[in-house]
Amino acid sequence: MNNLIQESIRFTTCSALFGLRMIETMSAMMVGGFESTDGNLIQLTKEGKKHANAIIQQAENFLSHQEEMKRQDEEQDEQIQSNKKSIWELQKRLEEQDKIDENQTAQIEHNRKLIKDLEQELDEKDILDESQSKDIKSNQESIAKLQEESQKLQEKINQLESQVHKGKYGLFISIGVTILAVVAIVLNFVIKT
């Protein structure tokens, strides 16, 4: 397209120069006359001058029209160059926007993966919390049973101590009570840890 416009401008310029030369030549012939093939000078009649003036006027109109076309072609070429530059700038901005979009898409995908990983970790922690809650409840029940058994042993120890003071087997019972007391203390200690 650009070559076509350049050739049009070149043709218009040549046509304009040709038209200008034609007008100058015809004007000179009207003033100075025409030279015939045998070398005689021929002057134009009024009717001939009228036709020659009409031809010159048409040539001037053609020349004026050609100059206007040349000016319009040059303006159009400038507009085309301006449009090319605008299109190039738009393409550059679109490429930059595409890069930004690609980066944002990659970041979004990365964030989705992180969120999915975090959700999975939270699910695993929920399962662990539930398991630990069950273990804590089971341990609390075991501790309550051990404390109850420890209390029963303490009561038996107290009963045996009171019987030792009353009975004939005092020494043996004292030793047995002492052993039971030590066992109760050990059990109580084990339960607390």
Side-chain angles (χ1 to χ4, degrees):
M1 180 70 174
N2 201 20
N3 287 339
L4 181 62
I5 291 171
Q6 287 175 351
E7 290 300 321
S8 294
I9 292 170
R10 195 172 298 134
F11 175 73
T12 303
T13 304
C14 289
S15 297
L17 288 174
F18 177 73
L20 183 60
R21 298 291 178 246
M22 187 176 80
I23 291 170
E24 290 172 355
T25 302
M26 289 181 74
S27 295
M29 287 178 168
M30 285 178 57
V31 172
F34 294 94
E35 189 176 316
S36 67
T37 54
D38 53 349
N40 294 333
L41 195 59
I42 302 171
Q43 291 290 329
L44 289 176
T45 63
K46 282 187 179 183
E47 188 65 27
K49 285 184 180 182
K50 184 178 172 185
H51 287 295
N53 280 334
I55 291 171
I56 290 173
Q57 184 62 42
Q58 286 179 354
E60 286 176 346
N61 289 345
F62 173 76
L63 184 60
S64 174
H65 177 73
Q66 289 298 94
E67 288 176 357
E68 177 63 21
M69 292 295 287
K70 179 183 174 184
R71 185 190 61 75
Q72 288 176 357
D73 285 345
E74 288 172 351
E75 287 177 0
Q76 190 176 27
D77 189 44
E78 288 175 8
Q79 186 64 41
I80 288 171
Q81 294 302 323
S82 174
N83 288 345
K84 278 184 180 179
K85 183 178 178 184
S86 297
I87 289 170
W88 181 81
E89 289 172 353
L90 284 173
Q91 286 176 334
K92 187 176 178 183
R93 278 192 271 172
L94 285 173
E95 288 171 1
E96 290 172 358
Q97 188 62 41
D98 285 345
K99 287 179 185 176
I100 290 170
D101 289 347
E102 287 174 10
N103 290 340
Q104 288 176 341
T105 301
Q107 187 63 43
I108 288 169
E109 287 303 316
H110 177 73
N111 289 344
R112 281 184 182 155
K113 185 181 181 314
L114 286 177
I115 289 170
K116 185 176 179 181
D117 291 346
L118 288 173
E119 286 174 344
Q120 186 176 357
E121 283 183 34
L122 287 174
D123 289 344
E124 291 171 2
K125 286 185 179 181
D126 286 345
I127 291 170
L128 181 63
D129 288 347
E130 188 176 318
S131 173
Q132 287 177 341
S133 292
K134 287 179 183 177
D135 289 345
I136 289 171
K137 185 176 181 182
S138 174
N139 287 341
Q140 286 175 339
E141 290 172 358
S142 296
I143 289 172
K145 285 180 184 177
L146 287 175
Q147 284 177 339
E148 186 179 314
E149 288 177 16
S150 174
Q151 188 175 5
K152 286 179 183 177
L153 284 175
Q154 188 65 40
E155 288 174 4
K156 283 185 181 181
I157 290 172
N158 289 341
Q159 284 177 355
L160 288 175
E161 282 181 351
S162 72
Q163 285 179 359
V164 167
H165 292 297
K166 294 179 184 175
K168 51 183 172 175
Y169 302 106
L171 180 61
F172 294 116
I173 294 175
S174 291
I175 293 173
V177 169
T178 305
I179 292 172
L180 284 176
V182 169
V183 168
I185 291 171
V186 168
L187 283 175
N188 195 19
F189 180 75
V190 169
I191 292 171
K192 288 183 180 179
T193 59

